[in-house]
Amino acid sequence: LLQIDFEDVIAEPEGTHSFDGIWKASFTTFTVTKYWFYRLLSALFGIPMALIWGIYFAILSFLHIWAVVPCIRSYLIEIQCISRVYSICIHAFCDPLFEAIGKMFSSIRATVQKEI
């Protein structure tokens, strides 16, 4: 939730303050104006905005339930076959190659000497 206080908007720095009466009148004016304008705007636009947002989220939910999730699940089912073929190819061709390269380089020994 958004909470805007008078001190967030009108912030006098330390050491610089107006008269107490001016400060209190400004605080009261700000608070009452914010309170009543919020009520006025809520009364004028609250129901139309609720209607618009209700329609928007209903459409969003409908599309998510009836279009997005089924498309993603369909894609995952279709790609599973390709995934298995790809996995078989990798295991058939790459695994022996990398195993042979690993065995070739496994006998290499490196020693480090510090020369002074």
Side-chain angles (χ1 to χ4, degrees):
L1 295 174
L2 183 62
Q3 181 72 27
I4 299 173
D5 292 325
F6 181 69
E7 291 81 14
D8 297 333
V9 178
I10 310 296
E12 290 182 337
E14 271 311 308
T16 306
H17 290 286
S18 59
F19 296 112
D20 284 338
I22 301 294
W23 182 259
K24 289 177 184 176
S26 299
F27 175 79
T28 303
T29 304
F30 175 84
T31 306
V32 169
T33 303
K34 181 182 80 164
Y35 177 74
W36 282 105
F37 263 89
Y38 177 78
R39 285 187 157 197
L40 176 69
L41 291 171
S42 295
L44 292 175
F45 298 109
I47 292 174
M49 291 303 294
L51 179 68
I52 289 168
W53 284 113
I55 292 169
Y56 173 75
F57 282 110
I59 291 170
L60 193 64
S61 297
F62 174 81
L63 289 175
H64 186 75
I65 292 168
W66 292 100
V68 174
V69 172
C71 285
I72 291 173
R73 290 204 178 148
S74 171
Y75 172 76
L76 291 175
I77 289 169
E78 292 167 7
I79 203 73
Q80 189 175 13
C81 176
I82 295 170
S83 166
R84 287 186 181 157
V85 171
Y86 177 76
S87 175
I88 290 170
C89 289
I90 292 295
H91 289 301
F93 297 112
C94 293
D95 283 357
L97 174 68
F98 291 130
E99 189 174 331
I101 292 172
K103 285 185 180 181
M104 283 179 6
F105 290 114
S106 67
S107 61
I108 296 176
R109 302 283 181 243
T111 57
V112 179
Q113 287 183 330
K114 186 176 182 181
E115 292 185 26
I116 300 177

